[in-house]
Amino acid sequence: MTAQLLSPARLHDLVLRNHMVMAPMTRSRADADGVPRASTAIYYAQRASAGLIISEAINISADAVGSPLTPGLFSDKQIAAWQQVTSAVHEAGGKIFAQLWHTGRVGHSSVRGGLLPVAPSAVAIQGQQHFTLEGMKDYEVPRALTFSEIQAVIGDYRRAAENAKRAGFDGVELHAAFGYLPNQFLVDSANLRTDEYGGSIAKRSRFVLEVMQALIEVWGSARVGIKLSPVIPFNSMIDSDPLALYSYLLGELNKLQPGYVHLMRALFPLDNFPHWPRDVLATFGTQINSPLIANGGYDAASGEAALRAGEAALVSFGTPFVANPDLPERFARGAELAQADRATLYGGEDAGFIDYPSL
Ligand SMILES: Cc1cc2nc3c(=O)[nH]c(=O)nc-3n(C[C@H](O)[C@H](O)[C@H](O)COP(=O)(O)O)c2cc1C
């Protein structure tokens, strides 16, 4: 039933032991300096039977940080700690990409040394609050980046990509989904700029494309992926015309030939957006020339079906990997899956992190 999912796969020059990807998951267990703790290497090595692991989102700079205890890839200590992680995964026969993160306005000054979050425009997230060490807080109006600051942020992505190489990762993924900085540039409710980085769809797409170009210059196109969530309104990611926006973006991405495009399906109710596409794979999958990683609510049966239908090259699983470190083996045996304890998803110590047993 899972023959294709569990069979070896190729991602360009990389040979993967199966078609299963561990989706990126923030676990908020780094130290106060954004250094992953020793348990992080154990956690990822336990999950190395995935064909490919995408790391939790990793801050590209101090200014990229939006949430407490999230790791970075901009100091020597952080790089050294990630080296331990990638070595452990490689020793266990796995492959691991680093997901590169700038949170933009999805942060709070109280976790940023008093500095306001930055964003394309001074527009706050509505109707949600942000987790801080002092409790939940309303979102602030972010400070709009200047043109030259945008160039500096692109430079930060490039440096983080170089650091990912030094840390021994197998590639990098740009986190351009779920409302973080690259996503904020794309959508017209968050990006009100009137310079070269805002306005038309082409100008709103420019930041993402320039960052991808920088990452590709460091890694080569085959080792650079991008995660997109075209129809997820979370974090006030409300665009007037996602079909036009993402059709343009995917067309331009095709020219860069990224190693893969990682697409999140619509996981949130879309009742307020009757004109948005519902079926992400049917609408956008066919516009993508790179291998497609499908994500969002898959299990063994639906993941296998997506591969068999030719809808996806690989399928990624997030939540199922939290409590089932040996998820491919469980799929192979048709075993029942353990459920993750939601209370220990973010933050804390080893409990709910490295103590979920394999079969
Ligand atoms: C605890 C947790 C943390 C997450 N952190 C990230 C993240 O850092 N980067 C990201 O792109 N997605 C993140 N996600 C989203 C997952 O990568 C994935 O897109 C989502 O969980 C849907 O896949 P699933 O249904 O297989 O869980 C996170 C999800 C969970 C449950």
Side-chain angles (χ1 to χ4, degrees), residues 96-110:
I96 181 166
F97 276 37
Q99 192 188 48
L100 301 184
W101 201 22
H102 191 308
T103 58
R105 67 181 186 173
V106 188
H108 195 275
S109 58
S110 69

Side-chain angles (χ1 to χ4, degrees), residues 21-27 43 54-58 99 101 173-178 180 227 232 262-265 267 294-299 316-322 342 345-346:
V21 176
M22 177 177 162
M25 282 184 288
T26 292
R27 305 301 309 274
Y43 166 74
I54 315 294
S55 79
E56 63 205 282
I58 311 178
Q99 192 188 48
W101 201 22
E173 175 178 284
L174 175 63
H175 193 352
F178 223 61
Y180 296 105
K227 192 173 189 221
I232 292 189
H262 193 174
L263 266 193
M264 289 178 80
R265 299 198 290 183
L267 299 173
N295 170 258
Y298 284 99
D299 59 16
S316 80
F317 302 85
T319 327
F321 263 112
V322 171
R342 303 206 74 82
L345 278 181
Y346 302 99

Side-chain angles (χ1 to χ4, degrees), residues 215-239:
L215 302 182
I216 287 170
E217 280 165 23
V218 175
W219 274 95
S221 59
R223 299 297 184 97
V224 178
I226 181 169
K227 192 173 189 221
L228 298 170
S229 54
V231 293
I232 292 189
F234 190 68
N235 286 329
S236 298
M237 286 292 95
I238 318 287
D239 192 74

Side-chain angles (χ1 to χ4, degrees), residues 237-316:
M237 286 292 95
I238 318 287
D239 192 74
S240 59
D241 191 353
L243 179 59
L245 169 63
Y246 284 89
S247 297
Y248 173 83
L249 179 67
L250 292 171
E252 293 302 303
L253 281 172
N254 283 340
K255 296 178 190 167
L256 297 176
Q257 296 183 288
Y260 65 83
V261 176
H262 193 174
L263 266 193
M264 289 178 80
R265 299 198 290 183
L267 299 173
F268 288 70
L270 295 179
D271 305 342
N272 294 336
F273 312 103
H275 62 296
W276 284 17
R278 266 49 186 174
D279 189 336
V280 171
L281 293 190
T283 308
F284 298 109
T286 49
Q287 303 186 44
I288 296 170
N289 294 346
S290 299
L292 172 68
I293 305 181
N295 170 258
Y298 284 99
D299 59 16
S302 59
E304 178 77 8
L307 294 177
R308 284 183 192 268
E311 288 179 337
L314 303 167
V315 180
S316 80

Side-chain angles (χ1 to χ4, degrees), residues 142-216:
R143 185 176 68 74
L145 290 162
T146 65
F147 187 90
S148 62
E149 284 176 325
I150 293 175
Q151 310 310 311
V153 172
I154 296 169
D156 290 340
Y157 274 106
R158 180 190 300 273
R159 250 182 315 281
E162 289 163 357
N163 290 343
K165 255 194 177 167
R166 289 169 58 201
F169 283 99
D170 297 295
V172 291
E173 175 178 284
L174 175 63
H175 193 352
F178 223 61
Y180 296 105
L181 185 70
N183 203 169
Q184 292 158 31
F185 271 93
L186 291 174
V187 306
D188 57 10
S189 65
N191 182 348
L192 310 180
R193 300 182 73 89
T194 53
D195 63 1
E196 291 307 303
Y197 288 96
S200 65
I201 284 176
K203 287 180 173 179
R204 282 185 272 127
S205 300
R206 180 173 163 172
F207 178 77
V208 168
L209 294 168
E210 289 185 357
V211 172
M212 286 298 284
Q213 183 68 50
L215 302 182
I216 287 170

